[in-house]
Amino acid sequence: MAQWTSAVGAAQLARQLAAQQHRPAGPGTRKPPAYRALADGIRLLVLEGRVPVAARLPAERELALALTVSRTTVAAAYEALRAEGFLESRRGAGSWTAVPAGNPLPARGLEPLPPEALGSVIDLGCAALPAPEPWLTRSFQGALDELPPYAHTHGDYPAGIPVLRQMLADRYTAQGIPTMPEQIMVTTGAMGAMDALCHLFAGRGERIAVESPSYANILQLMREAGARLVPVAMEEELGGWDLSRWRQVLRQAAPRLAYVVADFHNPTGALADEDQRRGLVEAARSAGTVLVVDETMAELDLDDDGRAMPRPVCAFDPAGGTVVTVGSASKAFWAGMRIGWVRAAPDVIRSLVAARAYADLGTPVLEQLGVHWLMRTGGWHEAVAVRRAQARENRDALVSAVRRELPDWEFTVPRGGLTLWVRTGGLSGSRLAEAGERVGVRVPSGPRFGVDGAFEGFVRLPFTVGGPVADEAAVRLAAAARVVRTGGTTGAEAPRTFVA
């Protein structure tokens, strides 16, 4: 049985390798032998996630023709990649990309920072902002006023309290997507929703197609559920989905489930347009794949430029047989408000609800009432507007600071969301994460957002700090970059206590 889950055509690989030639080399760099340059180019594409891990590469003769080089050059490059652990081969099955054994996925950067470290470490790990006040306090005060009738019941609502299910259904209907309360289940955050969906649709050993890169915590959840992740590379910069790659993976790998973030993708910030949404739904329907769409960032459009948001992905699946939507209060409102939801066909919701008897039984009633109060009174709209303004200000401050302190780092500023996906000028993201903690800035490295160690040359920077804190964060990142370049010590004082 072949070990590859997707394939890269010779013409496609040649185009990607040609694009690398426009990147400037460092001063004094000598031109390597042709086979070495080819091997390094393929290795870089794998580490950056442009070519997925476990992707079948073209045959030697086919790639030689596409590159107009000798077959001997390609054979030597493949042999070098095999020796370094970036390629595996078997007679009759071809050669496919890999990452060397022992190349670790960094375990740092996304977990909540311990409270005792907040005074000396700038946390760029979690893409979450402080609670918007006074709306958080008001929501719980309103929830307490509405609590007494629920207090006279057992308190278990596996599908969610009826008033919130109706409110969420009405919000979809207002967007032109008719929805009944029977199509909604309230969950304990988006992570609770994804956990339930993975257990329902993708048992141990099932394939799940994911964007490459994708949201690190969801990738880890899927790994722990025993899924086989099939990465699908994103377009360059903020281009969104590459539909030709998606069609190929859905056709060849036949995944049971696919997980995507259409709105201000985490980590890249890309926004899928309507043609991409329609095309992916059609491809998933043809392949019999359930398409799970994460909408947790959908309300965080930060640029007030008059452009309308694309319609939700579920608008292109009116029958509801292909698309399952996941939403949450955590990103748009506050991460501590652990309320998420699933919109799906009624039979899917019934199956999810039945399975909760063996999981968490239900979501806390008081928090559900708090979200309902916000949406009923207009407090949600007001709080999200404040959240957008705060994230926009932080984004602009962080972008300015990074461009000033680290001019060789490359990124495209997204229109919305909470994250900046940064190419680190050839430095190892894993080493930057390690050095960053030594100089007092916490940042997750690129491989956390890839499959099997891809994206070593990236870090994710969230819009969670602004003003002087953003400036100081960039200074500390620059110090970490110097440590990685020189392989030495920081050469600086210990991190200062910084109170925001």
Side-chain angles (χ1 to χ4, degrees), residues 387-456:
R387 172 67 81 235
R388 287 176 182 146
Q390 183 181 13
R392 183 186 310 117
E393 182 178 337
N394 287 355
R395 178 195 63 182
D396 295 346
L398 186 65
V399 164
S400 177
V402 172
R403 282 177 171 164
R404 181 180 63 251
E405 300 294 335
L406 293 148
D408 59 329
W409 286 19
E410 302 173 33
F411 53 85
T412 303
V413 181
R415 167 182 162 184
L418 288 173
T419 58
L420 196 66
W421 186 236
V422 180
R423 191 193 303 272
T424 55
L427 301 180
S428 163
S430 300
R431 292 177 181 174
L432 279 167
E434 182 181 6
E437 295 203 7
R438 289 155 54 192
V439 300
V441 61
R442 194 164 181 261
V443 58
S445 62
R448 290 297 305 272
F449 304 90
V451 176
D452 294 331
F455 303 107
E456 186 58 63

Side-chain angles (χ1 to χ4, degrees), residues 7 12 15 232-233 235 241-252 279-280 283:
Q12 176 188 348
R15 286 194 301 271
V232 186
E235 288 278 17
W241 301 324
D242 184 326
L243 285 183
S244 63
R245 288 174 175 165
W246 270 102
R247 293 187 183 102
Q248 182 183 49
V249 167
L250 293 175
R251 182 175 61 252
Q252 295 180 351
L280 187 55

Side-chain angles (χ1 to χ4, degrees), residues 123-128 398 418-420 443-444 460-465:
D123 187 8
L124 297 180
C126 296
L398 186 65
L418 288 173
T419 58
L420 196 66
V443 58
R460 188 194 74 171
L461 304 181
F463 311 143
T464 52
V465 297

Side-chain angles (χ1 to χ4, degrees), residues 30-40 73 76-77:
R30 289 183 296 179
K31 186 176 181 180
Y35 84 90
R36 185 69 261 173
L38 176 55
D40 289 345
T73 297

Side-chain angles (χ1 to χ4, degrees), residues 207 375 427:
R207 289 177 174 174
M375 293 180 173
L427 301 180

Side-chain angles (χ1 to χ4, degrees), residues 161-413:
I161 59 174
V163 292
L164 183 55
R165 297 178 74 196
Q166 182 68 61
M167 179 66 70
L168 293 169
D170 290 346
R171 282 166 58 87
Y172 282 105
T173 300
Q175 296 180 75
I177 309 162
T179 304
M180 304 177 294
E182 291 80 8
Q183 292 176 261
I184 301 292
M185 182 179 83
V186 180
T187 62
T188 307
M191 292 293 290
M194 285 303 305
D195 184 60
L197 290 166
C198 285
H199 281 89
L200 179 63
F201 287 112
R204 185 164 293 276
E206 291 276 7
R207 289 177 174 174
I208 301 179
V210 295
E211 297 151 322
S212 183
S214 186
Y215 178 38
N217 287 340
I218 295 294
L219 294 180
Q220 188 60 29
L221 182 154
M222 293 174 177
R223 291 187 188 100
E224 293 183 0
R228 297 173 59 193
L229 302 184
V230 182
V232 186
M234 300 281 285
E235 288 278 17
E236 291 285 354
E237 298 181 340
L238 298 182
W241 301 324
D242 184 326
L243 285 183
S244 63
R245 288 174 175 165
W246 270 102
R247 293 187 183 102
Q248 182 183 49
V249 167
L250 293 175
R251 182 175 61 252
Q252 295 180 351
R256 181 72 181 91
L257 203 68
Y259 168 77
V260 297
V261 185
D263 303 287
F264 310 123
H265 175 261
N266 187 353
T268 68
L271 177 67
D273 61 32
E274 291 209 356
D275 288 341
Q276 290 174 324
R277 296 172 190 232
R278 182 184 296 105
L280 187 55
V281 170
E282 291 172 354
R285 184 183 297 118
S286 297
T289 298
V290 176
L291 183 62
V292 179
V293 181
D294 184 334
E295 287 187 340
T296 54
M297 297 282 192
E299 296 190 64
L300 294 175
D301 186 354
L302 306 184
D303 290 339
D304 188 15
D305 55 9
R307 288 181 293 177
M309 283 286 290
R311 286 176 290 170
V313 178
C314 57
F316 302 97
D317 182 42
T322 297
V323 176
V324 174
T325 302
V326 171
S328 172
S330 296
K331 298 299 185 184
F333 187 73
W334 184 46
M337 187 74 87
R338 303 304 304 156
I339 299 296
W341 54 86
V342 176
R343 181 198 180 275
D347 61 321
V348 172
I349 296 297
R350 286 193 294 269
S351 297
L352 291 170
V353 169
R356 290 192 91 166
Y358 311 103
D360 61 358
L361 292 177
T363 303
V365 170
L366 187 65
E367 293 186 20
Q368 292 187 69
L369 289 171
V371 172
H372 176 258
W373 183 91
L374 286 166
M375 293 180 173
R376 177 176 59 82
T377 63
W380 179 272
H381 177 76
E382 294 172 358
V384 170
V386 170
R387 172 67 81 235
R388 287 176 182 146
Q390 183 181 13
R392 183 186 310 117
E393 182 178 337
N394 287 355
R395 178 195 63 182
D396 295 346
L398 186 65
V399 164
S400 177
V402 172
R403 282 177 171 164
R404 181 180 63 251
E405 300 294 335
L406 293 148
D408 59 329
W409 286 19
E410 302 173 33
F411 53 85
T412 303
V413 181

